[in-house]
Amino acid sequence: MSAADLYQRGWWAREARVRPAEHAVSRVYAEGKVEFLDRSIDLPAGSLVLDVGTGNGAMFPALGRRHRVVGIDTSAEMLRRHVEPLRVGQASVLDLPFRDRSFDLVVCSCLLHHVRDRIRAVSEMARVSRGAVYLIEPNRWNPLQSLFSLLVPAERGGLDFDQAYLRTLLEGAGMRVAASAAWGMTFPNKLPSALAAVARLLERPMPMGNVCLSIGVHLEGGFR
């Protein structure tokens, strides 16, 4: 294992890095991203969803209101703190332990900027999806997000990401981009709790939103 990989493993082993999934700011972050999903594609209720890089399950409550959700992550420490520990397992995005087209939707929130082989990662997500792949990553055009990426070595990969880069990754995996946006100002692990209500009002498209959202669908898929 490389020094960079060891650093990443140690970074995510520290409990203070990530707020609980039930935290007010975590809920605002996840609910806004699921609202974008719901308005962008026709994903039937009860769909089977894979949450890649699930961490402690911040996306689970919002996704789980309408869908069946399971998750994977490489970090045993994060999975130990997961909000739904019986619905997750330890695995890598670079080698997903699922058959082709096993899921209606694959969601990946803020994982790819920690991954070196991003093309392979997105190709694996596209392989196990029979419908769509939803990518959420930092937006390098947001000044606060870029400053954070510059100052924190584990987050440095965020400087590569914007809507155009996500489009390149999805199209490289043989998918068509159905929806894309720069979005919101919710920093889930840094925003003061007192500002959660304000952040909720800002969960919408904005040119320098702190994350980029892109949904790719299979060329032969039925999503609009």
Side-chain angles (χ1 to χ4, degrees), residues 42-153:
D42 291 321
L43 186 66
S47 292
L48 184 58
V49 178
L50 174 65
D51 183 18
V52 174
T54 186
N56 66 354
M59 297 295 292
F60 256 60
L63 286 167
R65 290 195 185 104
R66 294 186 64 238
H67 307 299
R68 298 169 293 148
V69 190
V70 297
I72 63 101
D73 202 287
T74 58
S75 172
E77 292 83 2
M78 293 296 291
L79 293 174
R80 180 175 56 81
R81 305 195 295 272
H82 200 278
V83 68
E84 294 280 359
L86 299 181
R87 293 163 62 187
V88 296
Q90 191 170 11
S92 170
V93 66
L94 300 177
D95 188 20
L96 293 172
F98 306 107
R99 295 179 180 178
D100 294 359
R101 298 177 177 267
S102 295
F103 299 92
D104 298 298
L105 172 72
V106 178
V107 177
C108 182
S109 177
C110 294
L111 170 68
L112 288 176
H113 67 281
H114 298 291
V115 175
R116 283 181 289 176
D117 194 346
R118 296 161 185 167
I119 294 174
R120 179 176 172 182
V122 177
S123 294
E124 271 291 276
M125 288 187 271
R127 178 184 66 79
V128 303
S129 166
R130 55 179 166 258
V133 172
Y134 182 18
L135 303 180
I136 304 167
E137 289 293 329
N139 180 13
R140 66 191 181 111
W141 300 115
N142 178 278
L144 290 176
Q145 185 68 66
S146 290
L147 180 62
F148 179 63
S149 297
L150 278 170
L151 293 176
V152 181

Side-chain angles (χ1 to χ4, degrees), residues 3-79:
D5 291 336
L6 286 170
Y7 179 85
Q8 287 279 1
R9 175 175 289 186
W11 175 264
W12 294 113
R14 302 177 191 176
E15 293 196 21
R17 298 298 184 200
V18 181
R19 282 170 166 160
E22 303 91 339
H23 192 282
V25 177
S26 301
R27 292 200 307 269
V28 166
Y29 174 86
E31 288 166 2
K33 310 311 178 285
V34 173
E35 285 175 12
F36 174 82
L37 172 70
D38 290 342
R39 72 175 66 170
S40 298
I41 62 172
D42 291 321
L43 186 66
S47 292
L48 184 58
V49 178
L50 174 65
D51 183 18
V52 174
T54 186
N56 66 354
M59 297 295 292
F60 256 60
L63 286 167
R65 290 195 185 104
R66 294 186 64 238
H67 307 299
R68 298 169 293 148
V69 190
V70 297
I72 63 101
D73 202 287
T74 58
S75 172
E77 292 83 2
M78 293 296 291
L79 293 174

Side-chain angles (χ1 to χ4, degrees), residues 156-217:
R156 198 68 47 79
L159 295 171
D160 296 333
F161 282 82
D162 57 16
Q163 288 174 265
Y165 186 50
L166 289 181
R167 176 179 292 274
T168 297
L169 291 175
L170 288 167
E171 291 179 346
M175 307 195 87
R176 170 179 61 84
V177 176
S180 180
W183 186 275
M185 288 295 290
T186 306
F187 295 83
N189 299 308
K190 299 297 180 184
L191 188 77
S193 301
L195 296 180
V198 176
R200 184 69 188 86
L201 295 174
L202 297 176
E203 278 292 309
R204 56 184 175 81
M206 51 181 59
M208 290 198 298
N210 72 303
V211 293
C212 293
L213 314 179
S214 289
I215 301 174
V217 298

